[in-house]
Amino acid sequence: MSLTVIAVFDAARGKEDALRTALEAMIEPSLDEPGCLAYQPYVDPNRPGNMVIIEEWTDRAALERHFGTPHFEHVARQLETLLSRPFTLRHLTEAGEAAPAARR
């Protein structure tokens, strides 16, 4: 069961370009990680300070390893000065893969 992650970022005023650069720098090293199937940043064309990354991982363990990589730790430090508020994460699985406890 793969795991899709949507990470949502809101740039601080005047930090839109720096945020875009920081997120784009994550693409190549993230895609090189074992377990990373997709990693793509997007910008809202109507609100350039609103950005998301849509990621796909083979499983939660691969995502957890990602959080400990040097490139993730580097961007996390950068985000402290680039965001207007902390970023959020949504973890999604395919609808047919709902957790057994959630099935009726």
Side-chain angles (χ1 to χ4, degrees):
M1 167 172 57
S2 67
L3 177 67
T4 300
V5 176
I6 301 174
V8 179
F9 306 87
D10 289 307
R13 184 172 298 231
K15 302 287 185 171
E16 296 86 357
D17 289 339
L19 177 59
R20 186 176 305 111
T21 298
L23 297 181
E24 288 174 351
M26 291 289 293
I27 298 170
E28 188 174 331
S30 297
L31 287 172
D32 285 343
E33 291 179 50
C36 184
L37 304 172
Y39 198 94
Q40 182 61 51
Y42 294 90
V43 177
D44 183 334
N46 298 311
R47 295 177 47 215
N50 182 263
M51 301 174 202
V52 300
I53 297 176
I54 299 178
E55 313 168 29
E56 187 174 0
W57 299 89
T58 53
D59 54 28
R60 188 171 297 277
L63 176 63
E64 291 300 324
R65 285 190 301 273
H66 170 67
F67 294 145
T69 62
H71 55 274
F72 182 86
E73 291 174 352
H74 174 75
V75 80
R77 287 188 300 274
Q78 289 181 307
L79 293 176
E80 292 175 9
T81 62
L82 298 177
L83 299 179
S84 62
R85 62 179 175 215
F87 69 93
T88 61
L89 295 176
R90 289 194 68 185
H91 296 185
L92 307 169
T93 58
E94 291 185 27
E97 297 179 356
R103 293 184 182 166
R104 294 190 179 251

